[in-house]
Amino acid sequence: MNNVEYELAPKQLDAQLYTRFLKGKMEVKFNMANLFDEWTRYYMNIQDYEQDDTKFYVLKKVNL
């Protein structure tokens, strides 16, 4: 069975501040990246699959 892996993208916030001095001849930049410092999460949804008559893996039917 081929496992399907999903990625839950992290919340990410970047910022950049800059200013110019000396009539535009000098520029100062301050960069900040990934201020929330969250990890990327991976998960596999293998419990929702079952083999059919042809031995292929298909999603299980959900009874609502």
Side-chain angles (χ1 to χ4, degrees), residues 30-56:
F30 181 67
N31 294 307
M32 298 172 283
N34 196 11
L35 294 176
F36 294 139
D37 194 29
E38 281 197 0
W39 292 84
T40 300
R41 294 181 183 99
Y42 296 94
Y43 63 95
M44 295 189 314
N45 191 16
I46 60 174
Q47 285 82 17
D48 289 336
Y49 289 91
E50 63 187 1
Q51 282 187 336
D52 63 2
D53 297 334
T54 61
K55 301 295 182 195
F56 286 107

Side-chain angles (χ1 to χ4, degrees), residues 2-50:
N2 291 334
N3 292 330
V4 178
E5 187 175 86
Y6 298 96
E7 176 184 1
L8 180 62
K11 296 176 186 138
Q12 192 169 12
L13 178 66
D14 298 339
Q16 180 183 53
L17 303 170
Y18 76 97
T19 187
R20 292 184 179 167
F21 298 100
L22 303 172
K23 298 180 183 177
K25 293 183 179 182
M26 185 171 92
E27 183 176 272
V28 176
K29 289 184 180 181
F30 181 67
N31 294 307
M32 298 172 283
N34 196 11
L35 294 176
F36 294 139
D37 194 29
E38 281 197 0
W39 292 84
T40 300
R41 294 181 183 99
Y42 296 94
Y43 63 95
M44 295 189 314
N45 191 16
I46 60 174
Q47 285 82 17
D48 289 336
Y49 289 91
E50 63 187 1

